[in-house]
Amino acid sequence: MVWRLFRLLSQGESHLLWTWGYRAEVVRIFLLFAFWRVRSVVSLRSAHAEEMLRMRWLWELSTLASPAYISNSRLNCEMLARLLPAAAARAVVIHNIMEPAALNEPAVALPQNVDRLELVMLGNVRIAIKGYDLAVQLARRLKDRKINLRLRIAGFPHEGKELQALIEAAGVQDVVEVTGVVFRPFEFLRSGNVFLLLSRVEGMPNALLEAMALGLPCIATRVGDVGNFVRDREHLRIVELEAVHATEAILLEWREQWSSARHLGAAARILCQRAFTPAVIGRQLREVFEHLGNELAPDAQGPAI
């Protein structure tokens, strides 16, 4: 792929490269030295923080060839501004697109009242990052209160054995289930009546968007761009990091006033259908690249890629 791109750029017909993903960053840095006139639009990733600190000089040099930085979270743009103040004005937030198939999924059929809290979590099993240790604590507290519940956790089991050990140590193996990889996420999400996101680190959490799109009542930590694209008590409930007690209180409140949870789920679904469509996000991207086109036009020698 690198050499194919190298040959393409060698023809001199392209003047703009848009990179994203880890391997693409290696390509971008390589091309910075090989093709100084090829500008690079950089997609910021949350994982860039450590790399920026370690190779700050290289990132500073790369700003000479990067007219724009695109991120799906404001958090990444703030990180860029702290490390490279000169590049802050070039950072643009464009949230994730939801596929039409996801937006067209029928709403989840929520019960009128809840006899059992069916809690679902979806994300790779990285215990500290995704807050699954907090979920185990939550399950223990609810079980101690004699609350009827089931918590199901799905995702690639990177730390599946460790999580199962936490579950057994807490004595909640009868109410917490680790299902492993799911290939039909919407089918899995429909098995719950509440979606939990207890992560300590996120950018733009896709699993949360998928749950919202179904109309599931959601509780999410104030992480990444949560709090920027949704509002507490309007679309879902937001809790601070590691706020197990607050999450428990919300669930207890919802058991008694389930209609309020249903209302939040419906509002979240409407938000997804209005704000994360290909048309909306595509319009934002078009505006960014039209602006870049105007800036690069005097030097442009051919079509952008």
Side-chain angles (χ1 to χ4, degrees), residues 255-299:
R255 284 185 77 249
E256 301 302 321
Q257 302 177 29
W258 182 241
S259 61
S260 63
R262 289 169 53 93
H263 175 77
L264 290 178
R269 178 173 168 83
I270 291 172
L271 175 67
C272 287
Q273 293 175 337
R274 289 179 177 174
F276 301 108
T277 68
V280 170
I281 306 300
R283 184 169 61 250
Q284 294 172 0
L285 279 172
R286 185 171 62 250
E287 290 172 356
V288 169
F289 281 93
E290 285 177 350
H291 177 72
L292 287 175
N294 292 334
E295 285 192 350
L296 298 176
D299 301 321

Side-chain angles (χ1 to χ4, degrees), residues 83-158:
L83 293 174
L84 301 173
R90 309 178 202 172
V92 180
V93 176
I94 297 180
H95 288 139
N96 295 6
I97 293 175
M98 295 198 69
E99 296 181 3
L103 293 171
N104 293 330
E105 281 281 334
V108 63
L110 293 173
Q112 293 299 316
N113 297 287
V114 288
D115 295 321
R116 179 167 74 170
L117 287 172
E118 294 283 357
L119 311 176
V120 289
M121 301 179 73
L122 177 60
N124 291 333
V125 180
R126 301 287 191 187
I127 295 172
I129 292 175
K130 296 296 184 180
Y132 290 130
D133 55 327
L134 305 175
V136 172
Q137 293 177 37
L138 175 65
R140 179 71 258 180
R141 293 182 61 85
L142 291 170
K143 182 178 177 179
D144 288 345
R145 286 181 173 271
K146 311 296 184 186
I147 301 299
N148 191 7
L149 80 141
R150 180 176 66 163
L151 168 61
R152 302 180 70 222
I153 299 171
F156 192 86
H158 295 284

